[in-house]
Amino acid sequence: MDRIYTALSRTLDDSARTDIPLKIPRPVPGLISKRVLVMDFLKGVPLSRNLIFRVSSIPTEFKRAREEMIKKGIDPDSPEAKIFGRNLLHALTEVFGRSILETGFFHADPHPGNIFVLDDGQIGLIDFGQVKQISGRSRETLAKVMIALDSRDSDSNPEDLAKIGNLALELGVEIKEDAQDEAAAAVAMWLFDGSVEVLPGGYDLGELSPNSPVKELKSFPQDLVLVGRATILIKGLSARLGIPWSLCKEWAPIARNVLELGRNGSSTHADSRVRFGEVWGTLKRYGRGKLDYGVKKLPPSIRTRVAALVIRRQERKDKKKKRRA
């Protein structure tokens, strides 16, 4: 747990501190023994009881969440709820992406019961009893897969599909002999890009469909089974929230940093100078914090209008990105 916290609280080259987008409980010094582990208490409720789903897809066990939101004066179908959903996806995506790609050491038991919505609106991640370490070679190849998926010209370009498929095979994915040529690339896109509307080879997006690319798998590398568990969790949350989400697009910048640092090594002067990017990032985080605090103080009607403006702006940005892709 401390190892993951420490890695996430520093930049990849260890040159500066960085904010962690969710809360991780820390062990309490002096209250730890071979039989007892005392940690910070995170006050909130698990995501399994507090997730904001669309009305048409709310299972019985999630209805309590909507009731709690209504009690607090928040419409579960409002722009505020949608902003919360995006923040949730961003937080989980960044934490798992950095852990998996930067160090290869990550929380290996992600499920809604281990993800908390705290009383102050932040996200908490608990239960680090199961962790996983993947090899440096697997991390490097996985980073290349993210970049190949992110930089592809289209979902059907043969050259892109061949590159993505070959990288998937390099990871250790084995495809059935009678599968289509696009099968390996389709598996990668299915697993890491939830924004895809049509998979190559005519495969279906549904995991349980007889025509799912998952059915073409002969074997999946043991080293990456728990990576897949994390990606499927985030995919599932995005589907429930009705927010298209591409892990490869979010993880590609992390992947590029990992490969770049691997080629060049860390800077020998990293701790001896202040970089403009770090100062600017700090100012932006400070500004966001002030803005979030100010928005929370607004009357509900005005707060909802502000949230709607933020959502519209984000949706326009997403559309522009899609057109460029």
Side-chain angles (χ1 to χ4, degrees):
M1 181 191 316
D2 259 4
R3 180 178 168 186
I4 293 174
Y5 179 91
T6 301
L8 290 171
S9 64
R10 304 290 297 180
T11 55
L12 179 59
D13 62 0
D14 201 32
S15 64
R17 293 191 61 82
T18 185
D19 292 335
I20 304 175
L22 49 69
K23 286 280 191 179
I24 296 175
R26 306 294 306 284
V28 180
L31 296 178
I32 301 169
S33 69
K34 290 182 178 179
R35 294 178 179 271
V36 178
L37 173 62
V38 179
M39 298 180 296
D40 296 333
F41 177 67
L42 301 186
K43 189 176 181 181
V45 293
L47 202 62
S48 55
R49 288 168 42 199
N50 200 38
L51 186 56
I52 308 161
F53 291 110
R54 290 173 295 174
V55 177
S56 60
S57 60
I58 302 177
T60 303
E61 62 267 28
F62 294 115
K63 288 183 178 177
R64 188 183 306 170
R66 296 176 64 84
E67 294 170 1
E68 290 298 319
M69 292 187 70
I70 292 169
K71 285 179 185 177
K72 293 179 180 180
I74 300 174
D75 179 0
D77 301 309
S78 69
E80 289 175 271
K82 199 166 185 179
I83 287 177
F84 168 79
R86 286 183 176 276
N87 290 340
L88 167 66
L89 292 172
H90 272 297
L92 294 174
T93 298
E94 181 178 336
V95 165
F96 279 101
R98 288 192 59 203
S99 297
I100 291 167
L101 294 173
E102 291 183 0
T103 66
F105 189 73
F106 60 96
H107 188 302
D109 189 23
H111 59 75
N114 282 342
I115 302 167
F116 271 54
V117 178
L118 307 183
D119 285 359
D120 62 1
Q122 294 189 76
I123 307 300
L125 183 62
I126 68 165
D127 192 0
F128 287 74
Q130 184 178 358
V131 292
K132 173 68 176 175
Q133 175 72 63
I134 62 174
S135 68
R137 183 173 181 179
S138 292
R139 284 194 299 115
E140 182 180 345
T141 307
L142 193 58
K144 291 178 181 177
V145 170
M146 296 304 112
I147 295 169
L149 285 167
D150 179 55
S151 59
R152 68 187 188 271
D153 290 332
S154 72
D155 296 340
S156 57
N157 181 20
E159 291 182 4
D160 288 333
L161 296 180
K163 182 177 182 179
I164 295 166
N166 288 335
L167 286 170
L169 297 175
E170 189 178 324
L171 274 172
V173 173
E174 292 187 23
I175 302 294
K176 294 176 181 177
E177 288 79 5
D178 59 349
Q180 297 184 62
D181 293 339
E182 300 91 344
V187 169
M189 291 167 67
W190 176 85
L191 196 57
F192 296 111
D193 194 348
S195 67
V196 171
E197 296 178 355
V198 179
L199 289 173
Y203 289 107
D204 293 339
L205 291 168
E207 180 182 358
L208 300 179
S209 168
N211 194 36
S212 168
V214 178
K215 307 294 184 184
E216 304 284 30
L217 287 172
K218 186 176 180 180
S219 70
F220 195 77
Q222 189 64 31
D223 211 23
L224 298 179
V225 168
L226 295 176
V227 173
R229 186 173 180 179
T231 64
I232 289 171
L233 167 76
I234 296 172
K235 275 187 56 177
L237 293 178
S238 71
R240 290 285 192 184
L241 291 163
I243 302 173
W245 200 254
S246 173
L247 276 174
C248 66
K249 292 189 183 301
E250 300 292 329
W251 284 2
I254 302 172
R256 291 187 176 95
N257 287 339
V258 167
L259 294 182
E260 185 66 24
L261 192 65
R263 283 192 293 267
N264 299 333
S266 60
S267 171
T268 56
H269 304 288
D271 297 321
S272 64
R273 66 176 182 268
V274 178
R275 298 179 180 179
F276 175 77
E278 293 168 13
V279 176
W280 180 244
T282 300
L283 289 172
K284 286 204 299 184
R285 287 193 295 272
Y286 176 79
R288 280 200 300 268
K290 286 287 189 182
L291 179 62
D292 289 344
Y293 178 79
V295 169
K296 288 176 183 177
K297 291 293 184 180
L298 292 173
S301 59
I302 299 177
R303 195 172 64 219
T304 299
R305 292 179 189 175
V306 172
L309 289 172
V310 172
I311 287 295
R312 283 201 294 271
R313 182 173 178 271
Q314 184 61 50
E315 287 174 346
R316 283 198 299 269
K317 286 173 66 177
D318 290 345
K319 287 178 182 177
K320 286 181 181 178
K321 286 181 182 178
K322 201 166 185 180
R323 282 199 296 269
R324 284 198 296 266

